[in-house]
Amino acid sequence: MGQACTSADIAAFTEDFRPPYPYRNEALKFSEMEVYEHTGDPQFKLVRAKLYDSYFRIRDQLEYLVKRDQDPFNIVIHKYDSDFISINMFFDFPIRLEDFVSTKLTIPEVWSMLGYVSAALAKLQQQKQHYNNINPKGIFRVYTIEQQYVYKLADPFLFHNQIMKSFYSPIMYYKTHPEHDLFKSDTFSLGLVCVYSLGFKKTEILFKQDGFDFELLDDIITRFKLPLYFDRLLRSMLEADEYGRPDPIQLSISVSNYTKAYKLPELKTVMVVYNKQILKTAQSPDATESIIDIRTPDNKVLEQPKAPRVEILQGHLPYTNGCYYVGSYNAKTKKREGRGIFFSKEGNKLIQGTFLNDLPEGDEIEMWREDALDDTTHVDLSNWEYFKGEVAKGMKQGKGELRFKNQNYFRGTFIDDAVCGSGVYYYQSHSVEGIWMNDKFIAEH
């Protein structure tokens, strides 16, 4: 459990953090909350929250809090104190999956999320507990003191129960059978969360009046073009016959085995409570084990090496194919770095906005194509003439807009340089709202 402390301890605890700012999150059970950002690494944040109630209810809550087992797969409570009228605590700053997944979540990131959440569910299954309706409101990304992002489940002690029927397993949604395997229903729900995270946001359209649309789901997974191991495992999680699915323990083992076989990044399951010192951690040999390893080296927490000085010039950068760039660039590497415009050899704009390590990167990048054709409909969006929106590492990622030579245009979500997810295609006289995958139209809303 996090450390119990006094108000003086709290003052000392917050010395390494900036002054707090107010915070609201309707999923949390607190009405009074604020966020503290660490001065060494602003990405590392803690929520300070107060829970007010009657003496007896606070006493019961405090008794539970003292006995509560910390778990690396749940939100970690770092410190708390109580005056028996209120409980004051510091815990991990939670970023709800539903809130950030619309911008960008790559296949490796979804695989990482699957690993963390399946391990958490496996631990619950070992304790003969099931989660009941895994969904994007109950999964959080947390930036830890080890300076990495991990995924965690909502803890009922801190969070209100968040139900989303569009992530039910079919046997629960249609109530086709009074008895079923609740653990394998959790597996199905987690499979739908993976589909959602990969770009298909409207899972509710899979639940038709006459039954679940497994055919459409199969087509969606095919269009993701996942690595073979991920495609195979995801399809097994979303089997129509629930008894053909792995339970969370089997699923977690499969993720671990595939991760080792394909030499993918291992899960970091170490749990560390912040204590104003660098906390070096040991990697757990078992993805479902929690290790707490607190050491005290001389350096302060979260100190980072100074970035090497980069000389940025403003000017004209020519290319051997006749294209040229005007703007900021790295004097040493001659790579585009900062704001600028990239032109074709004919002098037409191709890219305008900000660049990072020679690739366009930012929230308002503009791109043009010189080979676009006139004949374009909502069925295939790959033949665009102009794009404006969010770009990461040179690829369209997040929200954006496409315009076509025939004056039609599209607004929606992009993943890995293609339209993936919800959007609206605007003709001159009407519009089509629907779901696209890899630039191809799948279904109308």
Side-chain angles (χ1 to χ4, degrees):
M1 183 57 247
Q3 295 175 305
C5 57
T6 65
S7 56
D9 294 331
I10 292 290
F13 180 78
T14 57
E15 285 178 350
D16 291 335
F17 292 82
R18 292 187 173 93
Y21 56 86
Y23 176 61
R24 289 194 65 186
N25 186 330
E26 294 178 357
L28 285 161
K29 292 181 174 180
F30 305 90
S31 56
E32 185 179 319
M33 293 181 288
E34 51 190 8
V35 174
Y36 284 73
E37 290 183 355
H38 199 279
T39 53
D41 184 352
Q43 291 186 84
F44 179 65
K45 305 174 187 178
L46 295 177
V47 175
R48 182 179 184 175
K50 266 201 170 182
L51 179 66
Y52 294 97
D53 213 321
S54 68
Y55 168 82
F56 295 104
R57 286 179 62 84
I58 288 293
R59 183 194 62 184
D60 293 342
Q61 295 276 17
L62 187 61
E63 184 178 341
Y64 172 80
L65 185 59
V66 171
K67 294 178 180 178
R68 177 183 184 271
D69 290 330
Q70 292 276 44
D71 190 311
F73 299 111
N74 293 128
I75 302 298
V76 175
I77 297 175
H78 296 263
K79 259 191 191 308
Y80 67 91
D81 70 324
S82 174
D83 55 10
F84 287 101
I85 300 174
S86 66
I87 297 176
N88 180 34
M89 65 183 73
F90 287 82
F91 51 83
D92 293 335
F93 179 76
I95 308 171
R96 192 163 58 183
L97 182 65
E98 183 184 53
D99 295 334
F100 74 83
V101 77
S102 60
T103 55
K104 54 183 176 181
L105 208 59
T106 64
I107 290 173
E109 286 172 330
V110 179
W111 181 259
S112 175
M113 181 272 294
L114 174 60
Y116 282 109
V117 178
S118 64
L121 294 176
K123 199 159 191 177
L124 286 175
Q125 185 180 351
Q126 290 170 347
Q127 298 165 356
K128 305 203 181 312
Q129 301 177 46
H130 69 93
Y131 192 84
N132 186 23
N133 192 217
I134 294 288
N135 63 65
K137 292 181 182 292
I139 297 173
F140 298 87
R141 188 167 68 171
V142 170
Y143 185 81
T144 69
I145 200 169
E146 296 93 351
Q147 295 176 293
Q148 63 185 354
Y149 281 106
V150 300
Y151 294 87
K152 303 196 176 193
L153 280 176
D155 184 334
F157 180 68
L158 301 175
F159 294 87
H160 296 294
N161 191 22
Q162 304 281 297
I163 297 295
M164 295 179 71
K165 289 194 68 176
S166 56
F167 290 87
Y168 275 176
S169 68
I171 201 168
M172 290 179 66
Y173 187 92
Y174 298 103
K175 299 180 180 177
T176 53
H177 199 282
E179 295 181 5
H180 63 96
D181 191 323
L182 295 171
F183 297 115
K184 295 190 176 184
S185 286
D186 280 346
T187 294
F188 190 93
S189 296
L190 180 54
L192 286 184
V193 171
C194 290
V195 171
Y196 172 92
S197 303
L198 289 163
F200 186 78
K201 300 296 185 292
K202 297 291 183 179
T203 53
E204 62 268 19
I205 71 172
L206 295 167
F207 294 87
K208 309 290 187 186
Q209 190 170 359
D210 57 347
F212 191 86
D213 195 339
F214 282 98
E215 187 175 338
L216 174 58
L217 178 61
D218 182 72
D219 184 50
I220 291 165
I221 296 173
T222 300
R223 290 174 183 271
F224 286 141
K225 297 180 180 177
L226 298 171
L228 181 60
Y229 62 88
F230 199 169
D231 184 274
R232 183 180 299 163
L233 189 59
L234 185 57
R235 291 180 190 277
S236 72
M237 294 169 67
L238 296 167
E239 279 276 354
D241 180 1
E242 73 166 17
Y243 293 101
R245 304 172 204 151
D247 61 31
I249 291 176
Q250 295 166 334
L251 178 62
S252 182
I253 291 171
S254 294
V255 173
S256 179
N257 288 342
Y258 280 129
T259 296
K260 292 174 183 175
Y262 288 88
K263 298 181 179 178
L264 304 173
E266 296 282 345
L267 297 185
K268 302 292 185 181
T269 58
V270 180
M271 183 197 71
V272 177
V273 176
Y274 180 74
N275 73 343
K276 293 174 65 64
Q277 297 158 340
I278 290 179
L279 305 178
K280 290 192 174 180
T281 57
Q283 174 62 45
S284 169
D286 182 343
T288 63
E289 288 185 359
S290 167
I291 295 178
I292 304 178
D293 182 14
I294 299 178
R295 306 175 189 173
T296 57
D298 296 331
N299 296 328
K300 287 188 177 181
V301 65
L302 296 172
E303 287 186 352
Q304 299 182 51
K306 293 182 179 179
R309 185 174 179 271
V310 176
E311 185 180 1
I312 301 296
L313 300 180
Q314 294 281 339
H316 181 279
L317 200 61
Y319 290 76
T320 56
N321 62 0
C323 296
Y324 61 95
Y325 170 78
V326 178
S328 303
Y329 64 92
N330 187 311
K332 183 178 181 181
T333 63
K334 297 294 189 280
K335 290 183 177 181
R336 297 168 294 187
E337 199 81 28
R339 180 163 291 279
I341 306 174
F342 182 64
F343 295 89
S344 70
K345 60 183 179 180
E346 290 81 15
N348 299 320
K349 289 182 182 179
L350 295 180
I351 307 171
Q352 178 171 317
T354 51
F355 294 80
L356 180 64
N357 195 27
D358 210 41
L359 295 173
E361 176 106 15
D363 294 336
E364 291 191 4
I365 303 296
E366 294 180 88
M367 295 192 282
W368 292 262
R369 284 175 50 186
E370 299 182 307
D371 59 348
L373 303 176
D374 290 328
D375 188 20
T376 304
T377 70
H378 69 275
V379 176
D380 187 345
L381 305 185
S382 61
N383 193 37
W384 55 272
E385 182 185 34
Y386 168 79
F387 166 82
K388 182 177 181 180
E390 299 172 352
V391 171
K393 296 182 180 178
M395 296 191 294
K396 300 185 289 293
Q397 295 273 20
K399 298 296 182 183
E401 178 178 309
L402 296 175
R403 292 189 179 270
F404 303 89
K405 262 197 167 182
N406 57 11
Q407 303 305 308
N408 296 340
Y409 64 100
F410 168 85
R411 289 174 181 158
T413 305
F414 297 78
I415 294 178
D416 293 340
D417 215 33
V419 177
C420 286
S422 301
V424 182
Y425 186 92
Y426 296 89
Y427 289 93
Q428 302 305 304
S429 59
H430 67 286
S431 63
V432 176
E433 183 177 1
I435 302 290
W436 282 259
M437 194 60 58
N438 294 324
D439 288 333
K440 302 297 190 295
F441 182 72
I442 294 180
E444 193 167 349
H445 282 183

